[in-house]
Structures are given as C-alpha cells and as structure tokens.
Amino acid sequence: MKMKLRGNSFFWVLLKMNMLPLILLTLVITMFSAVRFAASMNVETKNELVNLCHTVVTLYDTAYEGDYHIEDEGDVVYMMKGEHLLDGDFSIIDSIKAKTDVDITIFNQDTRVVTTIQTSDGVRAIGTKANDTVAEDVLKGGQPHFYSSTMVEGVRYFSYYEPLYASDGTCIGMIFLGKPSAEVERLVYDSIAPTIAFGILTMLIASVVTIRFSGKLVNALRRTEAFVVSIAQGELHTELDADVMERKDELGHMGRCLIRMQKSLQELVEQDILTGLYNRRSGEKLLRRTCENYRKEGTPFCVAIGDIDHFKHVNDTYGHECGDVALAKISERIKEHMQGKGFVARWGGEEMLLVYDNMQLNTAVSCMQELLEEIRTQRIIYGDTAFGLTMTFGITEGNDGKVEHIVRDADAKLYEGKNNGRNRIVYEAI
C-alpha cells in the first residue's frame, strides 16, 4: 500500500527542522540495515524451503501410503512410495511449483526421477545427476543440507536437500527444493533499493535536523535494527521498544509492520498448522529452556508424552478428515487444560508432549487425571457421526539430565501404558 507524506511524516519533519545534519551516521545506519536485511532474506529463504520440504513430504505421505523403496527389474530400477510408482508422476510437484515457484526434485540415490527442472532443451532433467558435494553430504552423510549456491542445469539455486529413507533405515534417495538465486537476489534488491533511496534522501534532509531530534531518531533506528537482527537470528519473542511503536512517522509504521511480520513468523515457525499447538521444534526449544531453569533455579517440572488410543481406527473408519477434526478437538482441550500450568506441543502424528512447569510429580499426575477424565467424556462430532476417544500418557519428573533422556523415560512409560490396556497414566509413584 502506497503511503502518503502527511504533515507529521518523517520527510516533512526533517524538512521543517532545517538544522545541522548527521549525514555520516545516517549513511552508516542505512547501509548497515541494508546488509542486515539481505542476510535476513537469506535466512527467510532457507526457512521457506525447509518448511515447504516438510509440506511436500507430508503431501506424499497423505497421497500414497507406505514407505519409500526401490524396485529392481533388471534393466530398469524404479522408485516407489508404497505401491505407487513415483517415476513419471509429476502431479504433486507441478502443483506446488505452480503455487510457490519453487523447483522440486526426487532422487533415486543421486539420479533425478521426478523433477520440475528443465534442461537447456526445454525437457525435464530426468536421469541427470546431483553434484558430488550434495551426494557426499546428503546421501552418504545422511543429513539434510541447505546450500546458498548450487548449480543445477546451468542455473544457480538456493537449495535444500533432505534424505529419503526406506523402512529399514537405508538412505535410498533425497528430495530437493530450490529457488533460483537470481529471484532471491532480485527480491533482496527490490527490498533494499527503497531503503538505500530512503537513506540518501535522509542524508540530504539531515542538514536541517537538530541534534536533539537526530539523537532520538538514531536511538529509535537502533532499537528497530536490534529488533530486526534478533528476529533474523531466530529470537521470535523479542519485544520492540514501545517508543518506536508509538511514533507517528514512517519508522513507527515500519515497527508496527515488523510486529505483524513477527507474529506471522511465530505462527509459521512455532505452531503446528492443524492443531494450533507448538510444533516439535518449538516444543524441544521450550523444554530445553525449562530444563535450564531447573539447573539454574531448581524450578521443578514434569514431562509427559501422550498418545490418542486407536487413532488409526478413527482414520480407517471415518476418514482422515474426520481424524483431523478429532485431533484438533483433542488438542484444543489439552491446550485449554495446560493454560497456566506449562505448555503442550504436537510431538508427531497423534502424540503430544506436555510439560508441567513449576510442579511436582504428584500434583502433575492429579492434573493429568483430570485431563484424562475430560478427554474420556468429550464427544467428537463429525457430520452425523459422534464418538469418544481416550488417551494414554507416560509422565516423569524432570531432572538435570539430558533432555533426550527425560523424554525417552516418559515415552517408555507411554508404551508401557499402551501395552497394558491403554486409557491410563503411567508414572513412578513417589
């Protein structure tokens, strides 16, 4: 939306002041902000590719049941997803490319079998190879990698590669998502150009600015810059100074836009789209912070892993849409229950991670018993269908050990409960 220059705008205020400028300082701040914004765009591109990769994997898991595996028929080797032949099936990746303009490739080992990338002849680059560095990092190393510059069929890409595994844990291929570097650089340039122009204009007008007003402006810019840098570094809960938010000029407008951007990033990065709960990445981060508080201040906490009983039966009987509704309703109930007690994250599938903060085990178990009873009495309504669900929980008291060990202990208790009838809470009584 194009902004009008009002009487109280940044441009007109500087013009009216007609005092001594701080040209050099304005230039440094403008250029520094431009460099930081370019770095932020690189980070945002990486996050976009990583999140979109997870979406693509989820779409394939939803569309085609079963594991990835290789079918060797002598002269021809096929890549399969369950009973579905992936070779030559471009429907999913083409639809995503059309919506996001991101190129996607599925590799059988280092050979492209499904791709949106075209060769110089205008045909799909089927049968071409990944470069040796990617094959070494992803296929042999078994780890996902992000590259800020990868040459693919003569085009330089920002790219993200993630390995694909068969049911036996063997790495049989990988998935690639890439955005042409020229496109990202154009976005960076288009975004930075107004900032540079604004800086030049500021230098010209700064000659009329008083020392007092310039000092306030520089402080506000520094606070905004610190806020942007924190966001770029992943600190999504950083607060922008209230003085910046209350400004009536362009800087205040920018600050309010940044707050909206921050909230959008929080939802995108931290929340599970279906349930509205924290996703696993955010849950792990919050749990580590809770463990750190325990080590520093001795604040007690408890960790529970919960699993919806016979959830596969719901999907098989009523369909996955009904399963999604049921999962969302149960998640909503658990989220309401955890308010003021800690936090809950979707751990994977129908599993939930619950962390009771500043709470001893006996108290946490009592709270969880109330939650389990609420879940037992809750009815899931889907069309003409109504049914109930139960959950099984494993809960353990936090300690100064490794986070992985604490979660593993709660998970072991969960499976003990699942193997002994479900619909219960398993814990070690004190």
Side-chain angles (χ1 to χ4, degrees), residues 220 223-228 237-245 251-252 254-259 262:
R223 291 166 187 159
T224 304
E225 177 200 338
F227 178 77
V228 173
H237 293 277
T238 301
E239 294 185 359
L240 182 60
D241 193 284
D243 291 341
V244 177
M245 297 291 295
L251 190 57
M254 184 190 303
R256 290 184 287 274
C257 290
L258 287 171
I259 292 298
Q262 179 191 33

Side-chain angles (χ1 to χ4, degrees), residues 34-75:
V35 171
R36 286 292 186 179
F37 187 84
S40 176
M41 283 294 293
N42 288 348
V43 173
E44 184 175 344
T45 300
K46 175 183 178 181
N47 291 337
E48 177 189 358
L49 294 179
V50 171
N51 291 329
L52 186 58
C53 179
H54 295 163
T55 299
V56 173
V57 171
T58 300
L59 287 174
Y60 271 96
D61 288 340
T62 302
Y64 313 121
E65 296 183 356
D67 298 316
Y68 294 95
H69 62 278
I70 302 299
E71 289 287 344
D72 189 348
E73 296 186 9
D75 295 334

